[in-house]
Amino acid sequence: MQPLALLLFVFSFAFSHAEDGKEYGPVFEEQPIDTIYPEEAPEDKITLNCRARANPPATYKWKYNDWEIRITEPDERYSMVGGNLMVKNPTKQTDAGKYVCIARNKLGSVVSKEIQLKFGYLDLFSTEEREAVQVKEGQGAVLLCAPPPHFPDDLSFRWLLNEFPVFIPLDKRRFVSQRNGNLYISKVDATDSGNYSCFVSSPSISKSVFSKFIPLVPLTEGPVRKYPADIKVRFPDTYAMVGQNLTLECFALGNPIPEIRWRKIDAELPSNHEITMAGAVLQIINVQMEDEGYYECEALNSKGKDYYRAKVTVQAFPEWAEHINDTEKDIGSELSWSCLARGKPRPYIRWLKNGYAYSKGTDLKISSLTLEDAGMYQCIAENSYGIIYANAELKVIACAPSFELNPVKKRLLGAKNGRVVIECKPKAAPKPKFSWSKGTELLTNSSRIRIWDDGSLEILNVTKMDEGRYTCFTENDRGKANSTGTLFITEATKITLAPSNADVTVGEDAKMQCLASRDSTLDLTFIWTVDSHVIDFDKESEHYQRNLIKESSGELLIKNVQLKHAGRYTCTAQTIVDNATASADLVVRGPPGPPGGVRVEDIKDSSVKLIWSRGTDNHSPISRYTVQYRNFLEDKWKDAKTSPLNIEGNSETANVVDLIPWTEYEFRVIATNTLGTGEPSVPSPKITTLEAVPNVAPSDIGGGGGTSRELTITWTPVPKTYHFGRNYGYIVAFKPHGDKEWRKVTVADPEARRYVHKDSSITPSTEFQVKVKAFNNKGEGPYSLTAVVYSAQDAPVEAPTGVVFINLSASEAIVKWLPVLQQSIEGYQVKYWRKIYDNEAAAQRVLVSRNENQTRLENLLPDSHYYIEVRAFNSAGYGPPSDIYEIYSKKAPPSRPPRIIKKYIVGKRVNIAWEHVVPLANESQVDGYKVLYRQEGKADGQLFQTGLHYIELPVPKEGDYVVEVRAHSEGGDGAVARVRVSGGAVRCVQSASFLVLVLLAISCLGL
């Protein structure tokens, strides 16, 4: 803002507030905030803002670490614009600390909230080279970030791969912890090979740095092993703040990749939770006190599981439940202020007056106010997490009585035989003494007349004789005043036809009559209430209508009556002077109300006892009850099977049977009578049925295959519904065919689908009988049906022989070999790679079935020296390789297309000629030419081969045709030239290169 504009703004602001003449103490409109100043900031100043509204305008001063900042002109360190403090050339040593702003005028002072000025930095990573990390494929890996010194701690982490800005994508297999920056890979594979760098960003100071690259080298050593889940990223015991978001991290290494599951101990996960990063992150949005507790993450795969739990403690910033506001009090009166604050830990409360310590505790009381008590007061609530301020101005008033703002009403009305109250409320401090007169008669308290403490005059059972002029006299130690009004008496309002009681059934209509009389000079209105609720005829027009037959009638029509409309209806006939009321009851008969107090007792594995209390029968006896249940597997309510099967209307208990053991349930009860079925009860508290022995066996028992000396057994896991208890798992029993004794093993994972038994004594392809049963805390269930499974075969022991290589082109070849005669062969692997340029580990591989002894190799590079190796395989592994054969791929086909030099039509024939294609030094010699004659838009046509440099073709009868000419060599077909033939005309079309296209165009123009 320019200086002149700023001056005009300040002037207009001060003028507008001085104009209304009302003085008031400072009220903050802007307060300083906690500030982090980057040590490497390009600007060499910090501005802390402070602005207060006040009349007269406020002046400002600042304190630094409880010392007043004194600003002199000129000042090389500090300057102020309005209330804003500017710190020049700030340094951490001289300027970091606590700051407060104080705004003051003649009415008092207020202190801003205390803020912290801190200096942020993020150093560079160490320049030392990072050591390479070598990990076997299938194992997990952790790359350490080790962020450099920094402040504050709100860093974010990502990882670069090989170069900037290529960031690794995060998925179920890879995770970057935002607590320490480490990169976790659950299982390493060959694609992870590369150089990794930790990229660290500080949003507070807008700076990023990255580490030296860390080489990650996956090692291939034999078959990839599998490992159980092992949690490496663990969230600590955590303090969370109400209203903020909480993030918990959990990630595990393992092969197969572990699945992460979250739960809250003894409770459901909060409804406001989100699970992201493939399960590795649990985020609770807008944390509340009820989110406190123990949280557990579980990581599991087919090899095992791991779990970790920690406590989340929820704390809360101070928050006002009750605070002070600007107050005006009479001199000599009593002041009572309260400040109540919520928070965890419980906030400590203290008071300031005009910026100085004044009192402690939640209440502030001053028994007899003086002018010196006026000023600016601040109530401060503080705990270890924050501080809040409540500001208020106390004005102490001292003045003579005045009726200028609130005189006695000039025209006063009262109903005959009624009660009249005439208010007298002058502005006065201290409180004045009151007296009243009627005309010239001084009034005193009697059985009909009373002067209240606040100065109001009350007259009971008024008549026409009470009409006249009434004057209120007031006096205190600072002066006197009086005010006069005239009282007029009207006829009383009366109900002449009162509403009558009514009895209806749900869905019917009802009427309530109401007629009244009143003074002829007054307007009459009718107000209807039901059980003290005032009926709004605009918003509730669906059911309530007024029948305005005549002015003195207020008849009420209730359409399509519902149970909620039952109650006591009151008609009020009202004028501006008085009112009269009459009431009647509306009884509504309908379906029963919901039963109450549903609770569960006598919990067993498959039954519970349900108890409830009767709800309202709505004036029709309850005939029966229905019990419904809902469990964690389904959201829908279902009718429960009960004992007795039919629950009579006078019952308040029933047994629910045929429940699933160890399952969470909630129940509700619904009542029915002759008028219908009512609303369901509030659900019972959730309960879990007791555990029981499993009665369902795993299905689909099978297996076989695997590596040598292994027996693999598979099954379909039992659904969680039928686990019936904790510590659920499987017992796998197996024996060779013909043996009598079964061997048994225990698998503790309830989600397991297979078991692999390793035994060096097992012979290949041995027949086994296998069966599986489930178990839990309570015992073992029944076995499945017995299945026959064969142990794994041995890997092939013979290598293929007679390998033959046949070149097809520069990029394709056929490899043949003599089949291996071993019975257990499942197929063959052909591996090929370039002799000099390729690593054998990165060789290309082709798999073929056991019934084939040849395959086509594709994507060969022209004119290259290759190694080829063939080996047999089965489920137990690969057999020994054949001898390594060396082969040479053919040179590439010609890259230049034929140049069309002649094309003309003679009769019904078209003649096309071209120049001979001369191959480059690294290309195959031309053996001849291929000519494809096809209809435009189609891929197939007639193919001709010729050793000549021309061809004669028939002219098409209709439509456009394309002639494609390409050189043919042992390396394959070369680039193509095209000619379009259309209705006796020949046109040159797209060629394989821009240069050739230009030559063809010139040739075409030459015709």
Side-chain angles (χ1 to χ4, degrees):
M1 185 180 291
Q2 297 297 321
L4 178 59
L6 178 62
L7 180 62
L8 290 173
F9 170 76
V10 172
F11 175 76
S12 64
F13 180 83
F15 181 77
S16 66
H17 282 75
E19 222 178 13
D20 60 19
K22 182 180 180 182
E23 294 185 341
Y24 53 90
V27 178
F28 280 116
E29 292 185 325
E30 183 178 13
Q31 297 191 54
I33 59 174
D34 290 333
T35 301
I36 295 177
Y37 177 78
E39 292 184 354
E40 302 175 12
E43 295 187 3
D44 57 354
K45 63 182 179 181
I46 300 172
T47 300
L48 304 178
N49 295 333
C50 182
R51 186 176 76 254
R53 181 179 73 254
N55 189 21
T59 59
Y60 302 89
K61 68 178 181 179
W62 284 80
K63 285 187 176 182
Y64 166 60
N65 289 340
D66 297 328
W67 291 88
E68 183 177 345
I69 299 175
R70 299 191 179 275
I71 301 176
T72 58
E73 295 294 343
D75 194 314
E76 296 181 356
R77 295 275 295 124
Y78 302 105
S79 62
M80 284 182 62
V81 178
N84 298 343
L85 175 67
M86 184 180 298
V87 184
K88 304 170 188 174
N89 300 314
T91 66
K92 182 177 181 180
Q93 291 73 23
T94 60
D95 299 302
K98 300 179 293 183
Y99 289 78
V100 293
C101 170
I102 302 172
R104 67 190 337 171
N105 68 4
K106 69 178 186 178
L107 298 177
S109 304
V110 288
V111 179
S112 74
K113 66 179 182 180
E114 183 179 271
I115 65 103
Q116 292 273 354
L117 172 60
K118 299 180 180 180
F119 286 72
Y121 61 93
L122 176 59
D123 291 349
L124 298 175
F125 275 93
S126 169
T127 58
E128 293 184 7
E129 295 294 331
R130 299 277 190 115
E131 293 184 1
V133 177
Q134 296 184 341
V135 184
K136 292 181 180 179
E137 288 189 22
Q139 288 186 344
V142 181
L143 301 186
L144 303 181
C145 178
H150 59 274
F151 182 85
D153 286 332
D154 59 341
L155 301 181
S156 65
F157 301 91
R158 291 186 290 173
W159 281 76
L160 298 168
L161 178 59
N162 294 326
E163 60 182 351
F164 182 87
V166 180
F167 293 99
I168 66 166
L170 302 182
D171 49 30
K172 194 173 183 180
R173 195 171 63 87
R174 292 175 287 198
F175 177 71
V176 176
S177 171
Q178 296 304 311
R179 291 187 60 249
N180 55 30
N182 295 343
L183 169 62
Y184 298 83
I185 305 176
S186 62
K187 69 160 190 172
V188 172
D189 59 35
T191 62
D192 293 319
S193 177
N195 297 309
Y196 292 77
S197 172
C198 181
F199 186 87
V200 182
S201 299
S202 173
S204 297
I205 63 173
S206 301
K207 181 179 178 181
S208 299
V209 296
F210 57 88
S211 69
K212 284 283 189 178
F213 280 93
I214 306 172
L216 176 61
V217 183
L219 302 177
T220 304
E221 298 181 5
V224 176
R225 293 184 57 191
K226 295 186 177 181
Y227 303 90
D230 181 14
I231 295 177
K232 292 298 184 183
V233 179
R234 302 184 172 194
F235 57 97
D237 286 343
T238 303
Y239 284 88
M241 302 304 300
V242 168
Q244 295 188 349
N245 298 339
L246 170 65
T247 299
L248 304 178
E249 297 180 341
C250 181
F251 189 77
L253 311 185
N255 183 21
I257 300 170
E259 178 185 354
I260 305 295
R261 298 175 180 174
W262 291 89
R263 73 185 186 102
K264 185 180 180 185
I265 306 301
D266 298 328
E268 297 287 334
L269 282 174
S271 59
N272 50 332
H273 82 277
E274 293 180 358
I275 296 177
T276 59
M277 301 299 293
V281 172
L282 170 65
Q283 189 172 39
I284 303 176
I285 310 299
N286 188 19
V287 170
Q288 299 300 310
M289 295 301 300
E290 56 267 24
D291 297 332
E292 182 171 291
Y294 283 91
Y295 288 78
E296 179 181 280
C297 79
E298 181 184 53
L300 67 158
N301 62 12
S302 60
K303 298 298 291 182
K305 61 182 177 180
D306 191 9
Y307 72 93
Y308 174 78
R309 69 175 58 169
K311 186 177 183 181
V312 172
T313 302
V314 178
Q315 305 283 61
F317 297 106
E319 179 185 11
W320 289 122
E322 180 183 343
H323 62 80
I324 56 176
N325 294 293
D326 291 345
T327 302
E328 288 188 2
K329 299 291 275 186
D330 293 346
I331 189 169
S333 65
E334 180 178 297
L335 172 71
S336 180
W337 266 339
S338 290
C339 272
L340 299 176
R342 294 184 289 265
K344 187 180 177 185
R346 184 178 179 181
Y348 164 77
I349 293 182
R350 55 191 173 94
W351 297 79
L352 303 180
K353 178 187 176 185
N354 292 329
Y356 294 96
Y358 188 74
S359 182
K360 298 178 182 179
T362 58
D363 297 322
L364 176 64
K365 292 185 178 181
I366 304 175
S367 59
S368 182
L369 290 170
T370 66
L371 294 176
E372 287 73 23
D373 292 318
M376 301 302 299
Y377 288 79
Q378 292 177 283
C379 174
I380 302 171
E382 182 177 10
N383 67 10
S384 52
Y385 294 101
I387 182 170
I388 53 176
Y389 294 71
N391 303 342
E393 180 181 358
L394 172 63
K395 288 185 176 180
V396 179
I397 307 300
C399 64
S402 170
F403 286 97
E404 182 180 354
L405 299 177
N406 193 21
V408 174
K409 289 183 179 180
K410 298 303 179 185
R411 179 180 172 82
L412 302 163
L413 297 176
K416 187 177 180 180
N417 298 322
R419 170 179 172 268
V420 173
V421 176
I422 306 174
E423 292 184 341
C424 180
K425 293 186 176 180
K427 181 178 182 183
K431 181 180 178 181
K433 295 179 181 178
F434 298 93
S435 61
W436 283 86
S437 70
K438 177 188 177 189
T440 59
E441 179 189 356
L442 185 64
L443 300 177
T444 59
N445 287 340
S446 67
S447 60
R448 267 194 344 111
I449 297 174
R450 181 176 171 229
I451 301 173
W452 293 357
D453 288 342
D454 67 357
S456 299
L457 176 65
E458 179 184 38
I459 307 173
L460 303 176
N461 301 319
V462 294
T463 66
K464 283 287 186 178
M465 297 297 293
D466 292 313
E467 289 186 331
R469 289 169 55 84
Y470 289 81
T471 302
C472 176
F473 298 91
T474 60
E475 180 181 359
N476 67 9
D477 61 0
R478 295 178 179 265
K480 302 178 181 180
N482 63 75
S483 182
T484 301
T486 303
L487 175 63
F488 299 91
I489 304 302
T490 64
E491 292 296 326
T493 303
K494 297 179 180 178
I495 298 291
T496 58
L497 179 59
S500 302
N501 294 337
D503 189 326
V504 297
T505 301
V506 168
E508 295 179 347
D509 295 341
K511 281 185 180 181
M512 293 280 184
Q513 292 183 327
C514 188
L515 293 177
S517 64
R518 89 288 188 195
D519 190 285
S520 60
T521 63
L522 302 176
D523 291 330
L524 179 66
T525 60
F526 288 91
I527 298 172
W528 281 92
T529 61
V530 53
D531 295 334
S532 301
H533 164 69
V534 178
I535 297 173
D536 186 327
F537 288 94
D538 291 330
K539 294 182 179 179
E540 302 176 71
S541 60
E542 181 182 356
H543 294 286
Y544 292 113
Q545 291 182 0
R546 275 188 291 205
N547 189 2
L548 301 176
I549 302 174
K550 52 186 178 179
E551 185 180 357
S552 61
S553 173
E555 184 178 77
L556 173 66
L557 173 63
I558 310 172
K559 299 167 56 181
N560 187 21
V561 173
Q562 301 299 309
L563 290 171
K564 64 182 179 179
H565 297 137
R568 188 164 184 80
Y569 284 78
T570 301
C571 171
T572 301
Q574 181 171 298
T575 68
I576 61 172
V577 179
D578 66 341
N579 63 68
T581 63
S583 301
D585 291 320
L586 175 64
V587 174
V588 181
R589 301 181 186 274
V598 179
R599 65 185 191 274
V600 184
E601 295 183 356
D602 195 17
I603 301 170
K604 298 180 180 179
D605 57 3
S606 61
S607 67
V608 298
K609 182 179 181 181
L610 214 59
I611 300 174
W612 63 89
S613 59
R614 292 170 57 86
T616 58
D617 62 9
N618 291 322
H619 310 287
S620 179
I622 297 172
S623 56
R624 62 184 175 86
Y625 287 100
T626 302
V627 174
Q628 293 185 326
Y629 73 88
R630 181 170 64 182
N631 59 33
F632 76 97
L633 297 172
E634 303 171 291
D635 287 333
K636 294 182 178 180
W637 289 92
K638 293 186 175 181
D639 289 349
K641 186 175 181 181
T642 60
S643 176
L645 189 61
N646 297 315
I647 307 172
E648 296 182 355
N650 58 357
S651 300
E652 293 186 6
T653 182
N655 290 321
V656 183
V657 297
D658 289 354
L659 299 176
I660 300 174
W662 201 55
T663 300
E664 185 179 77
Y665 284 95
E666 56 183 340
F667 303 92
R668 67 183 188 183
V669 182
I670 304 172
T672 301
N673 64 14
T674 56
L675 297 178
T677 298
E679 294 294 318
S681 68
V682 173
S684 69
K686 293 179 179 179
I687 61 95
T688 300
T689 50
L690 300 183
E691 297 172 294
V693 176
N695 61 12
V696 176
S699 59
D700 302 326
I701 311 301
T707 58
S708 180
R709 303 300 188 265
E710 286 185 354
L711 173 63
T712 300
I713 302 169
T714 62
W715 62 89
T716 298
V718 175
K720 191 172 182 180
T721 310
Y722 302 105
H723 285 189
F724 291 2
R726 289 167 292 179
N727 298 328
Y728 189 87
Y730 301 99
I731 295 175
V732 181
F734 55 93
K735 66 173 184 175
H737 180 68
D739 282 10
K740 293 183 179 180
E741 292 188 7
W742 292 85
R743 182 168 181 176
K744 299 177 183 179
V745 294
T746 299
V747 179
D749 182 5
E751 304 297 326
R753 296 173 173 270
R754 66 200 302 259
Y755 168 72
V756 178
H757 176 65
K758 300 178 182 291
D759 188 341
S760 59
S761 64
I762 295 179
T763 56
S765 302
T766 299
E767 180 182 329
F768 279 83
Q769 290 179 304
V770 299
K771 56 185 179 181
V772 185
K773 66 179 177 181
F775 71 89
N776 64 15
N777 271 352
K778 286 293 183 178
E780 301 175 2
Y783 272 112
S784 65
L785 296 175
T786 302
V788 174
V789 174
Y790 291 88
S791 62
Q793 311 167 36
D794 271 342
V797 296
E798 297 181 27
T801 58
V803 179
V804 178
F805 180 83
I806 303 172
N807 273 317
L808 299 179
S809 67
S811 61
E812 293 182 321
I814 288 179
V815 178
K816 297 182 178 181
W817 59 90
L818 295 177
V820 173
L821 299 180
Q822 187 175 342
Q823 290 296 319
S824 59
I825 297 300
E826 294 182 7
Y828 299 90
Q829 174 191 266
V830 180
K831 185 167 71 174
Y832 58 101
W833 67 99
R834 288 188 299 171
K835 179 177 180 180
I836 299 175
Y837 302 103
D838 292 343
N839 188 320
E840 182 179 354
Q844 298 185 66
R845 294 168 170 83
V846 179
L847 298 179
V848 298
S849 70
R850 60 176 296 179
N851 298 322
E852 299 180 18
N853 64 331
Q854 67 176 39
T855 189
R856 180 187 295 262
L857 306 184
E858 298 177 338
N859 301 319
L860 298 174
L861 295 178
D863 198 17
S864 297
H865 188 182
Y866 277 89
Y867 284 145
I868 294 181
E869 171 193 284
V870 184
R871 63 173 67 190
F873 71 87
N874 61 18
S875 60
Y878 289 95
S882 67
D883 293 336
I884 293 178
Y885 294 85
E886 296 187 32
I887 62 166
Y888 293 88
S889 59
K890 295 182 179 296
K891 289 185 177 181
S895 59
R896 293 180 291 191
R899 188 169 77 87
I900 307 297
I901 58 175
K902 184 186 294 184
K903 48 271 180 184
Y904 57 88
I905 296 176
V906 178
K908 295 183 178 180
R909 309 289 290 181
V910 57
N911 189 283
I912 299 173
W914 57 87
E915 285 187 351
H916 177 63
V917 175
V918 179
L920 302 177
N922 62 343
E923 295 177 347
S924 300
Q925 293 298 316
V926 175
D927 295 334
Y929 297 91
K930 289 183 177 179
V931 180
L932 179 63
Y933 190 38
R934 62 178 176 82
Q935 189 173 357
E936 189 170 29
K938 294 185 177 180
D940 298 329
Q942 289 182 281
L943 181 66
F944 302 92
Q945 286 188 281
T946 179
L948 305 175
H949 297 169
Y950 62 88
I951 194 168
E952 189 175 87
L953 301 168
V955 174
K957 294 181 180 179
E958 57 182 16
D960 291 341
Y961 275 69
V962 174
V963 180
E964 295 182 352
V965 183
R966 51 170 60 85
H968 175 66
S969 70
E970 68 173 2
D973 296 336
V976 64
R978 294 185 180 86
V979 177
R980 181 177 287 114
V981 179
S982 177
V986 181
R987 289 175 289 165
C988 304
V989 296
Q990 177 185 354
S991 165
S993 71
F994 177 75
L995 177 62
V996 175
L997 182 63
V998 173
L999 294 173
L1000 288 174
I1002 295 172
S1003 175
C1004 289
L1005 291 173
L1007 292 175

